[in-house]
Structures are given as C-alpha cells and as structure tokens.
C-alpha cells in the first residue's frame, strides 16, 4: 500500500533532486543537449556579485523576519493562553494571513505601500511623518518586503506556541504566585524556559520558510530596485525560467539547499546540546 | 520539513485553576491584555479591510488627491466589471478543480502510505520511511528545474515522441497542474503520525475475523480518522489554492490560469485599475477565509500537529 505514494514521490521529488545535482554540472538551455562542464557553474555562482547580493538579502530578510515575528508570536500566544472571552476571534485574526495566499496578500500590500493613495503613507501623514515610496527606494524596499513577511508569519508561530503552552504545568505558576513573583517575572522565569523546545522548532521551520521567500518578492518588487530585494530563490527562478540557464539555476539551488542544511544541522546541534 | 516528529497530539484541556475574581490587578491585567490584543488584531485584519473597501471604490474616488478610507459610494458593480476585465471566474474554477484534485490524491495515496508506514510490518519499511523523512527536507527550489523538465519532456504527450522530444509535453495541460504536486511527503508523514496513535487491538480483532489488510485499512482504521482526514485535506486544499510558482511555470494559456497567477498577470496589464485588482484579490482570498473560519478547529489541529513535538 505504500507503493503508489512512494513511487509518486520518488518520481516527482527524489528523482528531481538527484537530477538537480547532475544538471548543476552542465551547460543546458532546454533546446540543446546538456553539455558537461564540471564545476564551472559553481565557480560562476561563487563569484557572481548578483548572487552574493541575493544571498545577503535572503540572510537579512530571514534574520529580521524570523526573530521579530517569533517575539510577537510568543507574546500573543501567552496573552491568548489566559481565559479571555473573545479568545477564538483574536486567534482567528492573527492566523488569518497564514491561510491566505501570499500573492493575494502581497497585492494588497502593494496597494498599502502606494506612495499617494496607499494606507501606510496616509496613516503616517495623520501623525505627521512624511510619506515615502517604500518599494521604490533601495534603502527601504527590503524592509518593506520583510514587514509583509513578519505580518504573515506571526500566525503559524503563535499557534505552535499556544499548543506548547498547553503542556506547561499550571502548578509552576501557582508556586511562583505564592512566592510573590510578578507577571513579567513569571514570563521570563517560567514561560520562556518552558517554551524552549517549541522555540527551537519554530526557529528551524521559520528559517527554512523564510529562506524560500518568493511570491511577495515577485509581486512587490520584482527583485528591484537595483537588486536590493532579489533573493536566492528569485535568482534560481531568473536563471532557469527567464535566461534558460538550467544548469546554472541548479547550481544556485544547490547553494540554497546547502545553506538550509547547514542551518538545520546547527539548530539540531543546539537543541540536542540543550536537552542533555 | 514542515512536519515533524512524535505521535499525534491528543487534545488536552488545560487544568482550569479556579480563582475568585478578586482584586484590581486582575482586572487591569485582563483589560491591558484585551487592549493589546484588539490593537494587534486590528493591525492583522486591516489589510483585508483595506482590500475590501478599495474593491468597492470608484476609479474616480481612488484618484482623489485626498484619499478616503471608506468608499463615498459603494460600487458593487466593480465585481461584475472586474470579471469582464479578466476571466476571474474561470481562474477561480481552475484553482478550485486543482485544489480538489490535489486533496483527493493526497487523501487516497497519502493515507495509504501513511497507514502502511505506521501499521504494516514489511521489509524495508524503515528505509522507505527514512526516504520520506529525507524528502521532507528538500526545499521546493532544489527540485523545481528538473520537475519542469520532466513535465516538458513527458513522452507521448503534447506532441512529444517516445523520447520526450519534439513537443511541449505536459506544459499547458491539467496533468502538469495536478499530478506533480498531488502528493507531498509532509502529508504522508502527518498521516503516519495519526495512524500510529490508534490502538493495535482493532487490527488484531479484524485479522481474527478474516479481513484482509486493505479492508482493515479502509473499513477499520480510516473511519476512525475522520478528523485527521479533514485536517490533512484542508491543509492540502489551502496549500494548493495558494500555490503560485508552479502554475506560473507550467501554464501560459489564459484558459488554464489559476487565480493567483491570474491576479499577477492582471496586475501587469497597463490599464489595471486598483479597484478591479482588489476585487480580484478579494475573490482569491475569500474562499480560504471562509473555509478557515468554519473549519478553524481542523486548521489549528493540523498546524499544531505538524508543529509540536
């Protein structure tokens, strides 16, 4: 009974992964037969300033969105863990962006960032902050893209934290209350330490998700201005499907894969060291 | 990689600590909490509100130098107009069919694979399970180029000869939209977790009654898994509905466009009006929002199961 599923995934996942590694050592434009060129693609990627920029942007995006939305998520989760009347409504509100399509969401944000008619600049104008063409400036575009990532990413993390909080022993809080600990103190000394395993888990899956950011870049900035928001995934897409350099795209995706693998292994190590 | 470890989480109720509603501090705490949460939820929901109000404004109102928040006149006709400007209903239908297809394949093949990995002792099970685990770790972008090539060079389709040469293969066909993404390693994984958590006595009794393995799967265990089926089904449907990159790559004809790609293409048209675009975006968002609001329990369970150890 496992056979259909295993064959299906074998054909559409395992085989392509192997093919990626093989193709990454070829010069291939779909129309002519692939030509073996050894490690040339890797050398090219290694020295390519645009790919450096893309890597740097991906790292900046990841290390800005992941911790910020994790911090917000843990606070919201703790707040929602209290008995509140409108609890399920709040939870739905925070989780809503997670279930809606990134393309649709990015479209809305494109309109929010609109310099003249957009919600953001007009809201800022009310409090006297001058507006800005957020997506058109190399200084702000990456931050504008990241903000969308933070906004959309809270829900999932919050949910995992809520589930983890259900397993925290209520008696700990009671004991702390008897000792006269404040709410803030309880948060730092009980809640956060108890959430450590969940935090590591959220961290790993969030990094893996953030490294693969694509849809919002496609809609919001198209990688621009001046490559200031291009990402590793976006370069893979460009090489393969705009420039038809399939081999090069494969080499780039191997770099992406290697990055993620290293990140996962590091996180695993940290978790393991923590448990022992 | 989205799913991980450990048996399915059974629903746990937190022990409710009964405390008397006492003292001012308690009241202020709950008040602050509510204020923070209301502000937060408003920020989360605001873009959706902005989307809907924009979709109901006239183009003239959108061009005003001093923009309004709520429409001065509610232009409901924007929706039929937008559907005239681009075949949003067709895109909508395409997305729906694909999502249904993905969900059906996942429920059938995913549950079978998950069941075997959880309950059937067969040779090589560990190896196959490790294979599934490894596939969980593969980022989309590490397989997308060869997937595209497999589709393009699919033998005997779209004018291709037996070696996959000469035509366009599965490009611009329903096959390409439905088959490659029909099953994911993470759904198999989730199913395995769910099936593992069921008691062993049932299958022993069923075997004594002479049921074969397939019927034990179909008639004994799977009916017990309705919540799990709903969860995995909804997650699959959602992922499929929201997918963008793959349909963008394998379709160019308008008649096969899914709604997310349709939106992106519509935006690139020069004359795109923001009210029409937001009307289309609303159409692309609303099914998931409704599905989520009605099936919140399953979504929450699904994500929490995929999440927690």
């Amino acid at each position: 009974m496992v056979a259909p599923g295993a064959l299906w995934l074998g054909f559409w996942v395992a085989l392509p992964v192997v093919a990626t590694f093989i193709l990454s050592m070829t010069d291939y434009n779909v129309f002519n037969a692939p030509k073996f060129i050894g490690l040339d693609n890797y050398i090219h990627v290694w020295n390519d300033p645009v790919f450096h920029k893309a890597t740097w942007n991906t790292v900046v995006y990841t290390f800005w969105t992941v911790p910020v939305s994790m911090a917000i998520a843990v606070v919201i989760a703790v707040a929602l863990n209290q008995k509140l009347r409108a609890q399920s409504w709040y939870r739905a509100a925070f989780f809503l962006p997670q279930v809606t399509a990134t393309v649709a969401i990015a479209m809305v944000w494109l309109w929010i960032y609109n310099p003249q008619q957009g919600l953001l600049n007009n809201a800022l104008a009310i409090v006297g902050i001058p507006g800005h063409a957020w997506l058109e400036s190399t200084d702000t575009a990456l931050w504008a893209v990241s903000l969308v990532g933070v906004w959309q990413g809270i829900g999932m993390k919050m949910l995992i934290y809520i589930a983890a909080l259900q397993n925290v022993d209520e008696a700990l809080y009671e004991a702390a209350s008897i000792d006269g600990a404040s709410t803030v103190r309880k948060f730092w000394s009980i809640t956060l330490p108890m959430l450590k395993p969940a935090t590591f888990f959220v961290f790993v899956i969030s990094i893996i998700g953030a490294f693969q950011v694509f849809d919002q870049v496609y809609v919001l900035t198209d990688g621009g201005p001046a490559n200031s928001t291009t990402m590793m995934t976006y370069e893979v897409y460009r090489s393969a499907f705009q420039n038809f350099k399939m081999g090069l795209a494969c080499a780039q995706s191997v770099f992406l894969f290697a990055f993620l693998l290293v990140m996962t292994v590091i996180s695993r190590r940290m978790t393991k060291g923590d448990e022992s | 990689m989205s799913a991980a470890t450990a048996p399915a989480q059974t629903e746990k109720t937190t022990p409710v600590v009964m405390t008397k509603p006492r003292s001012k501090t308690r009241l202020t705490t709950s008040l602050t909490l509510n204020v923070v949460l209301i502000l937060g939820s408003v920020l989360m929901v605001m873009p959706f509100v902005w989307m809907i109000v924009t979709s109901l404004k006239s183009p003239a109102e959108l061009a005003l130098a001093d923009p309004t928040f709520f429409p001065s006149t509610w232009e409901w006709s924007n929706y039929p107009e937008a559907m005239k400007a681009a075949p949003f209903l067709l895109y909508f239908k395409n997305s729906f069919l694909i999502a249904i297809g993905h969900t059906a394949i996942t429920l059938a093949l995913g549950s079978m694979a998950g069941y075997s990995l959880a309950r059937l002792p067969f040779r090589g099970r560990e190896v196959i399970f490790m294979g599934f685990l490894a596939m969980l770790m593969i980022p989309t972008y590490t397989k997308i180029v060869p997937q595209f090539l497999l589709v393009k060079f699919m033998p005997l389709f779209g004018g291709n000869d037996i070696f996959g040469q000469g035509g366009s293969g599965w490009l611009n066909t329903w096959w390409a939209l439905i088959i490659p993404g029909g099953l994911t390693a993470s759904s198999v994984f989730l199913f395995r977790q769910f099936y593992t958590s069921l008691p062993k006595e049932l299958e022993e009794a069923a075997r004594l009654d002479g049921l074969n393995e397939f019927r034990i799967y179909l008639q004994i265990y799977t009916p017990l898994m309705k919540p799990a089926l709903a969860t995995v089904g909804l997650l699959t449907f959602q992922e499929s509905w929201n997918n963008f990159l793959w349909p963008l790559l394998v379709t160019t004809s308008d008649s096969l466009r899914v709604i997310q790609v349709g939106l992106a293409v519509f935006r690139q048209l020069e004359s795109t009006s923001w009210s029409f675009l937001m009307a289309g975006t609303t159409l692309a968002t609303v099914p998931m929002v409704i599905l989520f609001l009605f099936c919140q329990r399953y979504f929450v369970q699904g994500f929490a199961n995929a999440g927690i150890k």
Side-chain angles (χ1 to χ4, degrees):
Chain A
M1 272 195 274
V2 77
L7 290 177
W8 194 295
L9 286 170
F11 189 74
W12 292 110
V13 179
L15 178 68
V17 172
V18 177
T20 294
F21 282 91
I22 298 170
L23 282 173
S24 70
M25 287 180 280
T26 64
D27 180 11
Y28 182 41
N29 65 3
V30 187
F31 308 108
N32 303 321
K35 200 174 80 193
F36 183 78
I37 53 169
L39 294 176
D40 282 7
N41 284 326
Y42 289 95
I43 294 165
H44 181 254
V45 173
W46 187 256
N47 295 318
D48 178 12
V50 178
F51 198 74
H52 290 171
K53 182 80 185 149
T55 308
W56 177 244
N57 288 343
T58 309
V59 169
V60 170
Y61 173 86
T62 304
F63 283 91
W64 162 240
T65 55
V66 172
V68 171
S69 55
M70 277 174 76
I72 298 172
V74 76
V75 171
I76 301 294
V78 168
L80 281 178
N81 201 38
Q82 318 298 316
K83 297 270 164 261
L84 294 172
R85 201 167 293 164
Q87 199 179 31
S88 61
W89 284 105
Y90 293 135
R91 194 179 61 185
F94 281 97
F95 197 66
L96 204 51
Q98 184 78 50
V99 292
T100 42
T102 310
V103 170
I105 275 170
M107 215 63 85
V108 178
W109 280 89
L110 192 65
W111 178 231
I112 290 175
Y113 285 134
N114 186 292
Q116 284 85 39
Q117 262 81 30
L119 187 62
L120 183 62
N121 277 355
N122 284 296
L124 290 177
I126 294 172
V127 287
I129 300 171
H132 205 83
W134 303 101
L135 293 169
E136 277 97 75
S137 146
T138 48
D139 297 330
T140 54
L142 188 57
W143 301 104
V145 171
S146 304
L147 180 63
V148 180
V150 170
W151 176 81
Q152 200 190 9
I154 294 172
M156 169 79 173
K157 303 177 181 68
M158 171 199 78
L159 215 57
I160 298 175
Y161 275 129
I162 289 177
L165 279 170
Q166 314 259 294
N167 298 334
V168 177
D169 191 357
E170 204 68 25
L172 290 172
Y173 291 101
E174 281 170 49
S177 298
I178 292 164
D179 291 345
S182 68
T183 312
V184 177
R185 182 66 208 269
K186 277 188 265 183
F187 177 77
W188 286 107
S189 308
I190 303 175
T191 312
L192 280 189
M194 293 304 283
L195 287 180
K196 230 174 195 172
T199 301
F200 273 114
F201 179 72
V202 172
F203 187 67
V204 173
I205 60 164
S206 306
I207 283 187
I208 290 170
F211 255 77
Q212 297 188 64
V213 55
F214 177 84
D215 296 4
Q216 69 224 48
V217 174
Y218 184 94
V219 172
L220 287 171
T221 60
D222 201 15
N227 288 327
S228 63
T229 58
T230 190
M231 302 284 171
M232 288 163 101
T233 56
Y234 210 71
E235 289 307 311
V236 174
Y237 167 75
R238 271 188 191 161
S239 310
F241 301 104
Q242 291 182 343
N243 305 329
F244 297 102
K245 292 181 175 165
M246 297 292 170
L248 183 64
C250 286
Q252 288 169 332
S253 71
V254 169
F255 267 98
L256 174 66
F257 184 49
F259 251 87
L260 284 176
L261 206 61
V262 169
M263 215 72 83
T264 314
V265 169
I266 291 176
S267 315
R268 282 269 156 82
R269 280 273 160 79
M270 286 165 76
T271 330
K272 280 227 179 95
D274 210 64
E275 273 164 3
S276 59
Chain B
M1 196 62 213
S2 62
T5 56
Q9 198 78 14
T10 43
E11 276 194 32
K12 276 187 189 161
T13 45
T14 33
V16 182
V17 185
M18 283 304 201
T19 38
K20 282 175 213 132
R22 33 131 211 205
S23 78
K24 256 198 206 145
T25 48
R26 238 188 136 67
L27 197 69
T28 36
T29 319
S30 116
L31 201 68
T32 343
L33 272 182
N34 275 301
V35 169
V36 170
L37 286 170
I38 287 172
L39 280 177
S41 353
V42 167
L43 281 179
M44 298 307 281
V45 176
M46 188 53 84
F48 295 102
V49 178
W50 180 241
M51 165 184 86
I52 292 168
V53 293
T54 305
S55 75
L56 294 168
K57 287 177 186 170
S58 68
E61 188 175 351
L62 283 182
L64 287 181
D66 194 19
T68 51
F69 187 79
F70 287 108
S72 46
T73 51
W74 299 71
E75 296 282 344
W76 294 99
S77 62
N78 279 345
Y79 280 81
E81 294 279 325
M83 286 173 198
K84 254 183 261 167
F88 280 116
L89 276 186
L90 177 71
Y91 300 158
F92 194 93
K93 197 190 81 193
N94 291 344
S95 284
F96 189 77
L97 287 178
I98 293 162
I100 290 285
H102 283 166
T103 309
I105 296 171
T106 297
L107 289 185
L109 299 188
S111 70
M112 274 165 64
Y115 176 79
S116 340
L117 290 175
R119 309 211 71 98
L120 294 179
F122 60 89
R123 250 183 35 180
R125 187 172 84 166
E126 285 308 302
V127 177
I128 291 180
F129 181 59
M130 293 311 281
F132 278 108
L133 273 186
M135 282 192 270
L136 276 177
M137 315 258 295
I138 304 297
T140 313
Y141 295 83
T142 309
K143 56 197 183 206
I144 197 108
V145 172
Q147 276 179 342
F148 174 83
L149 296 172
L150 278 174
V151 162
K152 185 181 182 331
F153 294 120
M154 188 57 71
L156 303 177
F157 280 91
N160 278 352
D161 59 22
I162 189 111
F163 301 108
Q165 303 297 315
S168 59
W170 276 3
L171 293 181
N172 275 317
T173 64
W174 286 102
W175 299 102
L177 288 166
I178 293 180
I179 300 298
L183 189 64
T184 58
S186 58
S187 59
V188 174
F189 194 81
L190 266 179
F191 271 123
R192 180 187 168 270
Q193 307 297 73
F194 285 123
Y195 279 113
T196 310
S197 68
L198 295 174
K200 199 172 170 54
E201 287 75 19
L202 289 172
E203 64 181 289
E204 285 162 357
R207 263 188 213 118
L208 285 179
D209 287 346
L211 261 65
N212 68 32
E213 293 300 330
F214 190 76
R215 287 183 61 187
I216 295 177
Y217 149 77
L218 197 66
Q219 294 177 337
I220 306 290
Y221 279 106
T222 306
L224 293 174
M225 294 254 304
K226 278 176 195 144
L229 291 171
T231 300
V232 178
L234 282 168
L235 292 186
T236 309
F237 190 93
Q238 179 236 0
E239 217 167 280
S240 171
W241 181 272
N242 293 345
N243 195 5
F244 172 68
L245 179 66
W246 181 253
L248 173 78
L249 295 182
V250 297
T251 56
T252 47
S253 74
D254 208 36
S255 60
L256 281 176
R257 232 162 236 159
V258 298
I259 191 143
Q260 314 302 345
V261 177
L263 264 185
V265 172
F266 186 59
R267 189 207 134 208
Q268 285 156 356
L269 299 176
E270 258 179 79
S271 58
T272 298
S273 126
W274 278 103
S275 25
F276 290 176
L277 189 56
M278 286 299 118
T281 310
T282 308
L283 281 177
T285 331
V286 155
M288 282 331 299
V289 172
I290 291 175
L291 208 59
F292 170 66
L293 290 181
F294 278 100
C295 311
Q296 221 195 115
R297 196 163 72 88
Y298 297 114
F299 275 104
V300 169
Q301 204 193 10
F303 279 102
N305 257 317
I308 205 77
K309 329 220 288 173

